Amino acid sequence: MNFDFIEPYLKYSAIIAGVISFIITFFNKEQVKYEKNKEKYFDDFLVRFYSAFRNNKNVNIKDFFYKNYSYHDNYIPTICKLLIGKE
């Protein structure tokens, strides 16, 4: 039997497998990073704000944010920063 038609596929299969494993590793790493940021956002920002809100119903979220956080905190979603920036 002649298997010459398979030879080009075997050459590139190692390269393709390497690229696929790199992509999977990269996305898994990003997923872990996303989950950590989500947990930090919940534990650090939302829980503290909810606690402050329970103690004082008139708490201003803008003042609370500027006293405790900054725009450089990357675990706080961008939409929250945009909403806080607007009135």
Side-chain angles (χ1 to χ4, degrees):
M1 283 193 154
N2 191 357
F3 293 106
D4 291 336
F5 66 93
I6 295 177
E7 190 174 317
Y9 297 111
L10 292 176
K11 267 188 202 175
Y12 298 113
S13 66
I15 295 171
I16 292 170
V19 169
I20 290 172
S21 65
F22 172 77
I23 291 170
I24 290 171
T25 303
F26 178 76
F27 282 116
N28 283 343
K29 181 180 171 188
E30 289 298 314
Q31 181 67 25
V32 168
K33 184 177 164 184
Y34 169 75
E35 289 173 2
K36 279 184 181 179
N37 280 342
K38 192 168 81 169
E39 287 176 19
K40 190 171 182 180
Y41 166 67
F42 179 79
D43 293 337
D44 191 37
F45 183 74
L46 290 180
V47 170
R48 286 180 67 187
F49 177 73
Y50 183 71
S51 176
F53 183 75
R54 282 182 51 178
N55 293 335
N56 179 9
K57 300 285 186 197
N58 296 323
V59 68
N60 187 347
I61 189 162
K62 222 174 187 181
D63 294 338
F64 177 80
F65 178 80
Y66 289 129
K67 285 179 189 174
N68 299 305
Y69 305 99
S70 73
Y71 284 102
H72 300 293
D73 293 328
N74 63 351
Y75 59 90
I76 299 174
T78 308
I79 189 70
C80 291
K81 295 174 188 175
L82 288 174
L83 291 173
I84 290 169
K86 301 205 182 243
E87 304 232 358

